[in-house]
Amino acid sequence: MADTLAALRSLMASHSPPLNALIVPSEDYHQSEYVSARDKRRDFVSGFTGSAGIALISMNEALLWTDGRYFLQAAQQLSEQWKLMRMGEDPALDIWMAENLPKDAAIGVDPWCISVDTAQKWECAFAKKQQKLVPTARNLVDEVWKNQPPAETNPLIVHPLEFAGRSVADKLKDLRAKLVQEKARAMIITALDEVAWLYNVRGTDVSYSPVVHAFAIVTLNSAFLYVDKRKLSSEANSYMKENGIFVREYGDVSSDTVLLASDQLTPSSADKTPAGLNTETNCGKGTGNGEIQTAEFVNDLIWVDTGACCFALYLKLNADKVLLKQSPLALAKALKVFPRTLLVANWVMGQCLAYRNPVEMKGLKNAHIRDGAAVVQYLAWLDRQVNDSFLEPLKFSLLSAVIDSLLKNFSEMQEIYGASGYFAEAESMSKNKLQDLKRLTEVSASDKLEEFRASKEHFRGLSFPTISSVGSNGAIIHYSPEAETCAELDPDQIYLCDSGAQYLDGTTDITRTVHFGKPTPHEKTCYTAVLKGHISLGNARFPNGTNGYALDVLARTPLWKYGLDYRHGTGHGIGSYLNVHEGPHQISFRPSAQNVPLQVSMTVTDEPGYYEDGKFGIRLENVLIVKEGNTKFNFGNKGYLTFEHITWAPYQRKLIDASLLVPEEIQWLNDYHSKCSEILAPYLNQSEMEWLKNATAPIAA
């Protein structure tokens, strides 16, 4: 690490102009949350492996900023050469730079790895002391990273219409309608999931996210894909031609953006206009040959999303002819169904979006049912394994009198060590009696969960690294266990498992927390407070126009009653065989959650938690669908919304202090558990179904 910092500082000193500091973001050229191995530059320089964070290297200091999900992890992973800066507690990066770096300081950054929005924010902060942001011509980290992994060359995969639900032609028609509406002639699309969604393609360039490294440019008359052409099979090339998509090399996006800025970007003269370019819409007049008559509608604007477009491409455009606005694809992608009943309202709002069929929504629900079955199979298996590990060896290692006693009370012991203990609560056994037993580990347990998922139809992999965490590891919010260092399952510790999968018809994300022995009253109180917040948010009814910032408090209020809280957001959107974290909406205390109201057919997670450093972590998570609310009245004629749970797996009854629940909460739990048994029954064998029946037994009011 010291050699890396020294090498970077040497390059900073020799740079023209010399750099007082170098910023190393987490993001790739597409501002992705999760990046490929080649793009983990911040990990390489700092040693911190979390998905969120940004590093700053000056001639004398090395600092890393990250959010509350990673405070513990960063503190453990950073060497003494690095200083941890806690977002929300310490000064923000731009403020720190403006206050601590010299006047006229030159601060370098690779402009491909930061967004337009971030760059402009920094430039504004730097102006106070005449400091300047210097876009480097090359990435300095790449210069010193001797064993940097190569660029991915995995095949591009066409996503079948039976799962995508809408054709590329329809999606391009909608997008061009938005361009006309916003008086723009083109849009540069840089977010990997938006490129994948628009062109109905997928890939494996980024672990856990089924995307391909690619850019797109869409004009009123043409559509371009910028990708390593080695990734396209003959079938994929035919698909592109059939859908009117011109394929360029990945690096050509730079020069083509320059051409676009001067209105000179056209398909190669050797190419004929492909089929599939009928762009006539109800928002613009078509000529009948796939082109829009644009003179009366369009100004000379190019649309870029300030939060997703890299600063490098923006710098190639004429700033006064750029439309800086959130991508219309973000919302279109987030709405899994677009009911005809909402068309009129959205016309009034000027959204001009076409009717969407319910394929994505149906697929998402089906994927969550199969995924729920896998989670239940895992919990039932875990139950058996814990029994085998903790009880069977004792039959042969203890005195015969003790053996007889154990066998006589075997059912009671199952209640103690059932991974669920879903069934009842009993005293734990002394650890001294179990110390020689072979235990399950965080990794071996999570591997088994993946095995259950892999047996399900349409499985394509995990949607993020499984957070399988025992005891104090659970307090590390985004903990990632390693085989060499992970903890063993402990009968006296809480076990938190946050996991998800990618299926061709949907993406899943679920968290359940269990205890293997006897939870303490404090643990039960904390778990129940988290559960109450989870139920409160999931049962909310709210008027149209409400955003996730307004709802976040519902999940926290039961925790606040005890002076407890958590440092992460409460909910995020989820993709349709795409990114597990999907915007543009969210449920969070962060101001950005105010930007987009929740709308019918959006997906969002409901995942409050509580984490006690050095002791345990608790989180419960379901995926919800926003739907129309059934309210007796309709104040203000706004229309009201509510949620539908589509995640199916039981909560651990042993961790619930029923005395803290009100009758309505108990009724909801019993109803939810009853649905779990009914919905998952076709996917379980007899013993698994018997386990689920016990785990979902009604709680007495």
Side-chain angles (χ1 to χ4, degrees):
M1 196 68 66
D3 290 344
T4 298
L5 291 175
L8 284 172
R9 285 169 176 146
S10 177
L11 290 177
M12 291 161 56
S14 62
H15 190 274
S16 181
L19 302 177
N20 298 87
L22 176 69
I23 300 171
V24 184
S26 299
E27 292 76 15
D28 58 11
Y29 291 5
H30 306 270
Q31 311 311 301
S32 306
E33 177 185 15
Y34 296 110
V35 301
S36 68
R38 178 181 179 80
D39 294 315
K40 294 183 178 181
R41 299 178 178 90
R42 190 223 60 221
D43 298 25
F44 169 72
V45 300
S46 69
F48 168 62
T49 61
S51 66
I54 188 164
L56 177 70
I57 301 167
S58 71
M59 288 301 177
N60 302 309
E61 294 184 90
L63 305 96
L64 181 124
W65 277 259
T66 191
D67 62 44
R69 295 173 297 170
Y70 294 110
F71 288 172
L72 287 178
Q73 180 178 338
Q76 292 175 2
Q77 292 183 329
L78 292 176
S79 71
E80 59 184 14
Q81 296 168 307
W82 286 84
K83 179 180 180 182
L84 173 61
M85 304 295 286
R86 294 172 170 82
M87 293 179 177
E89 298 180 10
D90 294 317
L93 173 66
D94 55 337
I95 295 174
W96 190 94
M97 290 188 291
E99 293 179 350
N100 291 275
L101 295 177
K103 183 179 180 181
D104 301 323
I107 303 161
V109 69
D110 183 345
W112 288 91
C113 295
I114 59 168
S115 67
V116 177
D117 188 46
T118 297
Q120 291 180 337
K121 178 184 176 183
W122 289 348
E123 287 180 328
C124 182
F126 297 164
K128 300 172 184 177
K129 291 178 63 176
Q130 294 78 53
Q131 298 166 331
K132 57 182 179 294
L133 183 67
V134 178
T136 60
R138 64 190 192 281
N139 193 296
L140 300 191
V141 175
D142 292 351
E143 297 289 312
V144 304
W145 194 351
K146 302 304 181 185
N147 298 314
Q148 186 176 22
E152 302 284 351
T153 56
N154 302 317
L156 176 146
I157 303 165
V158 175
H159 193 45
L161 189 60
E162 64 178 294
F163 299 115
R166 297 192 65 226
S167 68
V168 175
D170 283 347
K171 293 177 180 181
L172 286 173
K173 183 186 297 185
D174 283 357
L175 177 55
R176 290 184 172 120
K178 288 295 292 183
L179 293 178
V180 170
Q181 180 183 319
E182 297 291 343
K183 303 188 185 311
R185 60 181 172 87
M187 180 176 182
I188 302 173
I189 304 160
T190 60
L192 296 181
D193 62 332
E194 291 187 7
V195 175
W197 181 86
L198 177 64
Y199 289 155
N200 285 344
V201 297
R202 299 293 189 267
T204 58
D205 285 350
V206 179
S207 297
Y208 310 106
S209 300
V211 294
V212 59
H213 283 135
F215 295 95
I217 293 178
V218 175
T219 72
L220 294 173
N221 306 306
S222 303
F224 301 87
L225 174 69
Y226 298 87
V227 64
D228 185 336
K229 289 185 178 180
R230 294 175 295 174
K231 299 179 180 181
L232 271 65
S233 64
S234 58
E235 292 79 9
N237 273 310
S238 297
Y239 170 84
M240 295 300 165
K241 291 179 180 178
E242 291 168 2
N243 285 282
I245 303 167
F246 296 95
V247 180
R248 309 279 206 190
E249 285 291 349
Y250 183 77
D252 289 344
V253 69
S254 183
S255 57
D256 277 10
T257 297
V258 175
L259 292 174
L260 180 66
S262 57
D263 202 12
Q264 298 180 66
L265 178 61
T266 60
S268 167
S269 59
D271 290 325
K272 300 297 183 182
T273 302
L277 277 180
N278 182 5
T279 57
E280 182 174 357
T281 73
N282 292 326
C283 297
K285 298 180 179 179
T287 63
N289 63 358
E291 297 181 355
I292 291 181
Q293 292 179 338
T294 60
E296 63 179 293
F297 299 103
V298 180
N299 287 342
D300 198 22
L301 297 177
I302 297 171
W303 192 335
V304 301
D305 187 324
T306 58
C309 183
C310 55
F311 194 46
L313 291 180
Y314 171 77
L315 291 174
K316 300 177 186 300
L317 302 172
N318 187 340
D320 61 1
K321 293 186 178 181
V322 176
L323 173 64
L324 295 174
K325 190 174 183 179
Q326 184 177 72
S327 167
L329 300 179
L331 181 59
K333 177 165 53 63
L335 296 172
K336 300 301 185 285
V337 177
F338 196 73
R340 294 184 186 276
T341 55
L342 295 184
L343 280 175
V344 174
N346 280 277
W347 265 99
V348 172
M349 295 168 64
Q351 293 186 14
C352 187
L353 296 171
Y355 169 70
R356 291 184 175 82
N357 63 47
V359 169
E360 284 188 333
M361 180 67 76
K362 180 180 179 181
L364 194 65
K365 290 183 177 182
N366 288 338
H368 277 79
I369 291 173
R370 297 193 305 274
D371 197 68
V375 171
V376 167
Q377 289 172 321
Y378 170 63
L379 291 172
W381 171 86
L382 200 58
D383 210 355
R384 292 192 299 271
Q385 298 306 304
V386 172
N387 282 330
D388 290 345
S389 295
F390 293 162
L391 296 179
E392 294 297 335
L394 293 179
K395 297 177 186 177
F396 305 101
S397 62
L398 301 180
L399 295 174
S400 58
V402 177
I403 294 175
D404 291 340
S405 177
L406 274 174
L407 293 174
K408 190 184 220 177
N409 298 290
F410 191 76
S411 61
E412 179 183 348
M413 298 306 296
Q414 284 182 310
E415 291 178 349
I416 300 174
Y417 286 108
S420 54
Y422 280 86
F423 316 135
E425 177 182 318
E427 294 296 333
S428 294
M429 182 178 292
S430 169
K431 283 189 179 181
N432 293 330
K433 297 180 181 179
L434 303 172
Q435 61 186 356
D436 294 327
L437 300 181
K438 181 179 179 181
R439 306 290 185 84
L440 295 170
T441 69
E442 293 166 331
V443 169
S444 64
S446 65
D447 286 347
K448 189 64 178 182
L449 175 55
E450 182 175 358
E451 183 180 318
F452 281 117
R453 284 190 162 116
S455 69
K456 299 297 179 282
E457 185 180 20
H458 303 319
F459 176 80
R460 288 298 181 272
L462 301 182
S463 56
F464 58 95
T466 298
I467 302 171
S468 175
S469 51
V470 173
S472 61
N473 290 336
I476 303 173
I477 298 171
H478 272 202
Y479 172 73
S480 182
E482 300 290 341
E484 299 77 15
T485 59
C486 68
E488 296 177 337
L489 270 59
D490 188 323
D492 292 323
Q493 297 290 330
I494 283 178
Y495 174 62
L496 185 158
C497 186
D498 185 347
S499 64
Q502 296 286 4
Y503 301 92
L504 283 174
D505 52 353
T507 302
T508 68
D509 189 359
I510 175 176
T511 308
R512 289 295 183 264
T513 303
V514 300
H515 197 293
F516 295 109
K518 179 178 181 179
T520 67
H522 176 63
E523 289 170 335
K524 293 178 66 174
T525 297
C526 294
Y527 181 94
T528 308
V530 171
L531 177 62
K532 287 172 71 72
H534 177 76
I535 295 172
S536 177
L537 176 59
N539 287 344
R541 281 180 168 76
F542 48 95
N544 267 302
T546 302
N547 56 49
Y549 185 84
L551 296 180
D552 182 76
V553 65
L554 296 178
R556 297 179 191 272
T557 300
L559 286 159
W560 288 351
K561 177 181 177 181
Y562 298 99
L564 307 177
D565 206 347
Y566 51 97
R567 290 191 177 100
H568 57 76
T570 303
H572 57 82
I574 192 165
S576 178
Y577 187 38
L578 271 174
N579 292 352
V580 70
H581 295 158
E582 180 178 271
H585 59 291
Q586 57 181 305
I587 298 176
S588 177
F589 59 90
R590 297 183 178 90
S592 57
Q594 301 178 67
N595 296 341
V596 178
L598 298 178
Q599 300 178 40
V600 169
S601 83
M602 281 181 169
T603 60
V604 66
T605 59
D606 173 4
E607 50 179 312
Y610 173 64
Y611 312 90
E612 204 155 288
D613 292 357
K615 295 183 179 179
F616 62 82
I618 295 168
R619 184 162 63 252
L620 297 172
E621 177 183 19
N622 281 5
V623 173
L624 314 176
I625 299 292
V626 183
K627 66 177 186 178
E628 294 179 2
N630 182 22
T631 56
K632 183 176 181 179
F633 304 104
N634 185 17
F635 181 81
N637 201 33
K638 293 181 177 181
Y640 282 72
L641 305 175
T642 188
F643 295 114
E644 173 187 355
H645 289 254
I646 63 171
T647 298
W648 304 107
Y651 305 94
Q652 188 181 42
R653 290 187 293 118
K654 184 173 69 175
L655 268 170
I656 299 171
D657 184 344
S659 69
L660 301 178
L661 300 179
V662 299
E664 291 79 9
E665 292 167 336
I666 293 176
Q667 184 62 53
W668 183 88
L669 271 172
N670 289 338
D671 290 345
Y672 174 83
H673 279 160
S674 176
K675 290 179 183 177
C676 278
S677 293
E678 177 185 349
I679 290 171
L680 299 181
Y683 300 87
L684 305 176
N685 62 33
Q686 184 175 352
S687 65
E688 292 163 348
M689 195 58 218
E690 185 63 28
W691 182 94
L692 183 59
K693 180 180 178 181
N694 290 329
T696 57
I699 297 173

